[in-house]
Amino acid sequence: MATPRILVVGAGFAGIACVRRLERRLAPGEAEISLVTPFSYQLYLPLLPQVASGVLTPQSVAVSLRRSSRHRTRIIPGGAIGVDTRAKVCVVRKITGETVNERYDYIVLAPGSITRTFDIPGLTDYARGMKTLAEAAYIRDHVIAQLDLADASQSEDERISRLQFVVVGGGYAGTETAACLQRLTTNAIKRYPRLDPRLIKWHLIDIAPKLMPELGDKLGRSALEVMRGRGVEVSLGVSIAEAGPEKVTFTDGRVVPTRTLIWTAGVAASPLIATLDAETVRGRLVVTPEMAVPGLNGVFAMGDAAAVPDLVKGDGSICPPTAQHSMRQGRQLAENVLATLRGAPMKPYAHKDLGLVVDLGGTDAVSKPLGIELRGLPAQAVARGYHWSALRTNVAKTRVLTNWLLNAIAGDDFVRTGFLAERPPTLRDFEHTDEYLTPDQIREHTASLSAVG
């Protein structure tokens, strides 16, 4: 009898937690594990704003898969671009561009999410996201380049547009990104004596009536006060009407001259989910409490791409797309795959949220661990302690801690590392959202390409 094949798609929090549990719990020869991922690292996404501001190096938040693996998993360097659930084949485009079929007996879908966009003129051409390591590194280079170009310019209008920055999205990603980068430019401007510091202006806007409503009214107001106290212009109930290369128009009619638009207004499930032709809820794949996809034999899903029922909250709620849930879903789903292999009953996923942490840079932070509201240094200690403990390897923990200490002692640096291209990349370029197949193309590939493995 052939050895069962378990294929895990995605090396985010959910996928890696699942793989690590499978590696520990599977008996030798009980099953083969394969992991599909275009990168050789797991990205610690919550710390990307600190990469963008230069507090952390990119390598610090890119946790090596090879270093933490038990070497039982075959890592396939590429991205899943379609799944044929009838033939039990996943179509993978390798990093070389070659397209191959990967057969499976059980498939775990954890492809994560992409930046959610809307039909706003110019948005996809001129906005940059904060979902990938490349985007964070690019944004850092871009922001520092605006200071350099403004300093060299003879035009007052150009200086004004280069020194105004717009961040859309009042959630964690947007608020932390605006806070960290505002701190960077505030410190950097001291190195540019020809520039008037008053020209630097950060805008944080969100269509919602509150900043980070998940924190509750008190902490949300505290975060708002911190941002406004540092000079960030926060506009709520406002979004983008049109984006251009040198200006952005808000929905309230204001026109802001700017060369920098950072878009963090939510996420959408990976386009891979649409290739399954299965039921979705707001783009996320419908799954049972055990994270199995109804009606599809051997198909499981979790993380940002799955609508996992939140049994603790009840009332038909689904788990929010957070790292806290994804890591725990990964471990539980591994147990459920093992149970299926061994003919045992699966268990539903249930987890009570442990709280929220928001690092606003410097000594500013707001946190709500276990329902306890914290501000300032205590909140930052909790936030950084949580992130530090969540890093999977001691090497990653050492790098992050060393970077934090170095930044606290030596301050920020303002070096451009060369990521700024003559033709600025788009959201589509960074997140590769146009590479997925249609159901007809998937069937064609699974019929014509030879299977691998």
Side-chain angles (χ1 to χ4, degrees):
M1 184 175 179
T3 303
R5 290 167 293 197
I6 302 172
L7 184 66
V8 179
V9 175
F13 290 106
I16 293 303
C18 181
V19 166
R20 295 188 77 202
R21 179 62 62 90
L22 287 171
E23 286 184 326
R24 286 196 298 269
R25 298 273 283 111
L26 281 169
E30 188 175 7
E32 297 175 357
I33 313 170
S34 296
L35 174 65
V36 178
T37 173
F39 306 111
S40 62
Y41 59 81
Q42 177 199 353
L43 177 63
Y44 193 82
L45 196 65
L47 291 178
L48 274 188
Q50 295 191 35
V51 173
S53 64
V55 173
L56 297 177
T57 61
Q59 192 178 11
S60 301
V61 301
V63 184
S64 169
L65 298 183
R66 303 284 181 183
R67 183 182 290 274
S68 62
S69 170
R70 295 193 174 204
H71 309 298
R72 291 189 60 183
T73 300
R74 180 173 66 108
I75 299 176
I76 305 167
I81 57 175
V83 179
D84 186 336
T85 57
R86 294 179 182 177
K88 287 202 167 184
V89 170
C90 179
V91 184
V92 177
R93 179 167 290 146
K94 291 186 176 181
I95 58 175
T96 59
E98 175 190 6
T99 304
V100 298
N101 286 353
E102 286 290 334
R103 292 194 179 276
Y104 65 85
D105 295 292
Y106 304 95
I107 187 169
V108 176
L109 298 172
S113 57
I114 60 172
T115 301
R116 181 181 62 178
T117 58
F118 300 94
D119 189 18
I120 298 172
L123 177 64
T124 56
D125 292 323
Y126 300 110
R128 309 289 173 257
M130 187 59 75
K131 284 289 293 177
T132 68
L133 195 58
E135 283 175 314
Y138 173 86
I139 286 173
R140 172 173 166 76
D141 259 21
H142 172 81
V143 168
I144 296 173
Q146 301 316 298
L147 301 180
D148 289 342
L149 291 165
D151 185 60
S153 176
Q154 300 296 321
S155 166
E156 184 70 10
D157 289 342
E158 180 183 352
R159 281 196 292 272
I160 290 172
S161 69
R162 292 197 181 280
L163 296 178
Q164 292 209 66
F165 308 89
V166 177
V167 179
V168 183
Y172 299 106
T175 303
E176 289 189 338
T177 296
C180 290
L181 287 172
Q182 184 272 340
R183 183 172 178 270
L184 172 70
T185 55
T186 298
N187 292 333
I189 199 67
K190 300 171 186 176
R191 308 285 181 172
Y192 296 83
R194 295 181 63 252
L195 293 178
D196 185 348
R198 292 172 296 181
L199 291 179
I200 290 187
K201 193 169 188 179
W202 281 87
H203 299 263
L204 175 61
I205 70 172
D206 196 294
I207 196 66
K210 297 179 181 179
L211 191 69
M212 290 187 293
E214 302 91 340
L215 285 172
D217 289 343
K218 288 184 179 179
L219 284 185
R221 283 196 299 271
S222 293
L224 181 61
E225 290 169 3
V226 167
M227 297 297 285
R228 286 178 170 166
R230 283 164 49 173
V232 178
E233 184 169 313
V234 181
S235 301
L236 301 174
V238 177
S239 189
I240 295 294
E242 184 176 358
E246 298 181 9
K247 66 179 181 180
V248 168
T249 304
F250 292 176
T251 52
D252 62 5
R254 282 180 291 165
V255 178
V256 176
T258 182
R259 312 290 180 103
T260 306
L261 173 59
I262 302 173
W263 180 267
T264 67
V267 297
S270 165
L272 178 67
I273 298 306
T275 73
L276 273 74
D277 196 23
E279 185 181 357
T280 60
V281 174
R282 286 175 287 181
R284 299 170 72 181
L285 199 60
V286 170
V287 296
T288 67
E290 295 77 19
M291 294 172 282
V293 180
L296 298 181
N297 182 35
V299 180
F300 301 85
M302 58 181 172
D304 294 7
V308 180
D310 192 334
L311 300 183
V312 174
K313 284 188 177 180
D315 300 326
S317 300
I318 61 176
C319 296
T322 64
Q324 187 178 143
H325 277 289
S326 292
M327 287 188 288
R328 289 164 176 80
Q329 288 171 10
R331 292 193 287 267
Q332 182 60 57
L333 185 43
E335 295 292 341
N336 286 345
V337 171
L338 287 166
T340 304
L341 271 170
R342 297 165 181 173
M346 296 187 295
K347 294 182 180 180
Y349 170 76
H351 169 64
K352 185 177 181 180
D353 205 303
L354 298 178
L356 309 165
V357 295
V358 183
D359 188 337
L360 299 175
T363 59
D364 295 322
V366 289
S367 300
K368 195 175 182 180
L370 302 175
I372 302 171
E373 296 184 350
L374 300 173
R375 300 167 180 80
L377 278 175
Q380 193 198 66
V382 169
R384 294 201 171 184
Y386 173 80
H387 290 316
W388 184 82
S389 65
L391 292 164
R392 286 197 347 270
T393 68
N394 289 330
V395 171
K397 290 180 179 181
T398 302
R399 283 184 177 137
V400 166
L401 184 59
T402 301
N403 280 188
W404 280 338
L405 290 173
L406 183 62
N407 181 259
I409 295 169
D412 298 319
D413 68 76
F414 318 109
V415 176
R416 285 186 286 115
T417 53
F419 282 94
L420 185 62
E422 290 184 9
R423 182 188 69 83
T426 63
L427 283 170
R428 188 179 298 108
D429 295 328
F430 278 122
E431 300 184 25
H432 309 287
T433 54
D434 56 355
E435 295 187 358
Y436 296 85
L437 302 180
T438 65
D440 287 342
Q441 290 173 322
I442 293 170
R443 286 189 288 271
E444 180 183 341
H445 274 279
T446 56
S448 63
L449 293 176
S450 58
V452 175

